[in-house]
Amino acid sequence: MAELAALEDPKARQVNERHGDDHGVNLGKLRALAKRLKTQQDLACQLWQTGDTAARLLALLVCRPKAFARDELDVMLREARTPKVHDWLVTNVVKKNPHAEELRVAWSADPDPVVASAGWALTAERVAKKPEGLDLAALLDVIEAEMKDAPDRLQWAMNNCLAQIGIDHAEHRARAVDIGERLAVLKDYPTSPGCTSPYAPTWIAEMVRRQQDR
């Protein structure tokens, strides 16, 4: 904790706080610290219990993802107050855990939109890597009905899923693009030069073009 405190940088905190993350540690330095510590599950659990955002991010880098029980991950997700902790927990830990599919189903149906967004993030991962058994048409039905009015983080995760369906599944591409165009979610999202817009029709077209160019 003393080492993390020493890495505190007011400029990094300013940038992070604009994204809803209450810590001032440069993520490159945080990753370097994690690399030095290597995997330490007990330390990870202790760091998580501090409730400190930088400590929790470090915990997610040094933990053993497969060591967590299903209920532990459910509690951790509900405790993950900031977007970066939430994202890293889902991406670095839950996706690699044997309970990921069970949690995906449970979280997708959760009344808390932030918890539901984790379920949708896991669904987008399955759409891309293991779509067998998923009803993609039914997912598009839900996205079409609910994405426009969903709270920000849930809307973002649903939009990612919509784009992933359009990118990876040619038979659903026209419908995914049509839904994106009609709902116009993230159409005006500010995008840096050289980056792909998160607006689903643009994103789908760009990724399909890249696939065809390979």
Side-chain angles (χ1 to χ4, degrees):
M1 292 305 290
E3 209 166 330
L4 283 172
L7 291 174
E8 176 75 23
D9 175 353
K11 284 182 183 169
R13 180 172 285 275
Q14 255 185 335
V15 171
N16 291 331
E17 284 184 343
R18 282 206 296 273
H19 299 103
D21 293 310
D22 57 349
H23 74 95
V25 180
N26 173 285
L27 295 180
K29 291 180 179 176
L30 194 73
R31 287 190 178 95
L33 177 56
K35 198 172 177 182
R36 200 185 80 224
L37 290 168
K38 299 192 172 69
T39 302
Q40 296 192 47
Q41 181 67 9
D42 290 346
L43 174 61
C45 293
Q46 290 175 310
L47 287 166
W48 184 270
Q49 290 305 327
T50 65
D52 177 80
T53 294
R56 284 186 162 179
L57 290 172
L58 182 60
L60 297 171
L61 293 175
V62 301
C63 72
R64 189 173 287 108
K66 292 179 180 174
F68 292 104
R70 178 207 181 281
D71 290 350
E72 278 182 288
L73 291 173
D74 186 66
V75 169
M76 288 168 75
L77 187 84
R78 293 168 197 281
E79 290 176 345
R81 298 169 298 106
T82 65
K84 186 65 75 179
V85 172
H86 180 276
D87 290 347
W88 280 22
L89 175 61
V90 173
T91 304
N92 296 344
V93 181
V94 180
K95 283 180 183 177
K96 301 170 185 174
N97 184 276
H99 302 289
E101 177 59 15
E102 194 185 337
L103 289 168
R104 180 190 75 81
V105 174
W107 288 344
S108 295
D110 199 277
D112 181 332
V114 175
V115 174
S117 75
W120 278 93
L122 293 169
T123 300
E125 172 89 353
R126 259 203 73 182
V127 166
K129 295 189 176 171
K130 199 180 172 188
E132 299 76 23
L134 282 180
D135 186 340
L136 299 180
L139 286 175
L140 289 173
D141 289 344
V142 177
I143 291 167
E144 188 171 20
E146 298 177 15
M147 181 171 76
K148 180 81 173 175
D149 299 316
D152 287 354
R153 281 162 72 181
L154 177 54
Q155 185 185 69
W156 184 271
M158 285 180 142
N159 184 70
N160 282 3
C161 191
L162 173 66
Q164 208 66 60
I165 292 171
I167 292 162
D168 289 325
H169 300 277
E171 70 276 21
H172 295 286
R173 188 169 297 148
R175 186 179 173 206
V177 170
D178 177 61
I179 291 169
E181 286 172 346
R182 279 187 291 106
L183 300 187
V185 166
L186 301 174
K187 187 172 185 178
D188 301 319
Y189 192 84
T191 306
S192 305
C195 295
T196 304
S197 168
Y199 173 53
T202 304
W203 186 1
I204 292 166
E206 174 60 20
M207 298 312 288
V208 171
R209 183 192 66 75
R210 289 185 198 178
Q211 287 170 1
Q212 290 167 347
D213 286 350
R214 279 181 197 153

